[in-house]
Amino acid sequence: DNVSLEVVNVLDGDELLVKTNKSKEFIVHLLGIKAFSQKSREQEISKFGKRAISELKTTIGQQVHLRFNTFKRDSQGRVWAYLEENGTDVGKKLIKAGFAVVCERYPFERLEDYLADERIALRENRGLWANAKARQRSFALKNIWEAMSSDL
């Protein structure tokens, strides 16, 4: 399905609050990505969260298009979906620029494509991949996700 919604607010580099045409609001988490939090106590990490938010804000307009297989909410009430702007996959764009990492916790249909762009960002030291602490944190997250997915 493909749904067009109004953006209320960008909450984080991988989450935004949207509103339906019936004024119902809900949080969308970009499927397949993880951006660092701008609220991290570690300045080196939080700056990448702020950069991801800034990039997300400049990429999207007031209306966004969500693409998902099934409209479902997670345990926190968020909807996980791909976000598209003018035919561009916004999550993939954030990965490619090094503003987010590929979240491999759960399989998703664009995983291999996202990983290919992440390898390029890593090889070219884009965004967070140019920072030793952010790089280390990203690999630690990936190790945790791998351990968690092997328990499924």
Side-chain angles (χ1 to χ4, degrees):
D1 281 343
N2 190 358
V3 177
S4 182
L5 300 163
E6 180 184 339
V7 176
V8 176
N9 193 19
V10 173
L11 305 173
D12 221 335
D14 53 15
E15 289 186 343
L16 55 154
L17 182 64
V18 296
K19 181 168 50 173
T20 68
N21 59 1
K22 295 180 181 174
S23 295
K24 296 207 185 264
E25 294 184 351
F26 59 93
I27 295 173
V28 174
H29 183 93
L30 276 66
L31 181 60
I33 76 166
K34 174 67 180 145
F36 289 128
S37 174
Q38 67 172 335
K39 297 176 183 169
S40 173
R41 286 183 242 153
E42 298 173 84
Q43 188 176 357
E44 272 187 89
I45 299 299
S46 69
K47 76 177 180 184
F48 291 107
K50 291 173 185 165
R51 287 177 66 188
I53 290 169
S54 177
E55 182 68 16
L56 187 54
K57 284 180 177 178
T58 59
T59 300
I60 63 173
Q62 278 303 106
Q63 293 284 319
V64 292
H65 300 278
L66 302 183
R67 187 172 301 276
F68 48 87
N69 294 333
T70 307
F71 184 92
K72 289 193 300 188
R73 294 182 189 266
D74 66 11
S75 61
Q76 297 176 3
R78 302 172 300 185
V79 173
W80 289 59
Y82 299 109
L83 178 63
E84 296 181 352
E85 182 66 27
N86 296 322
T88 298
D89 180 335
V90 176
K92 180 178 168 63
K93 181 178 179 181
L94 292 170
I95 294 291
K96 201 172 197 170
F99 293 120
V101 297
V102 178
C103 179
E104 300 175 65
R105 172 71 173 103
Y106 302 103
F108 59 100
E109 68 183 39
R110 300 180 186 179
L111 176 63
E112 292 307 317
D113 196 29
Y114 278 28
L115 286 171
D117 282 338
E118 184 179 67
R119 283 189 292 273
I120 293 167
L122 172 62
R123 186 175 60 243
E124 295 181 0
N125 289 317
R126 295 180 186 167
L128 64 89
W129 298 110
N131 179 282
K133 187 171 218 156
R135 183 186 284 243
Q136 180 182 19
R137 178 72 52 87
S138 297
F139 286 128
L141 281 171
K142 288 178 171 293
N143 288 336
I144 291 168
W145 295 328
E146 183 179 348
M148 292 170 81
S149 64
S150 66
D151 291 342
L152 296 178

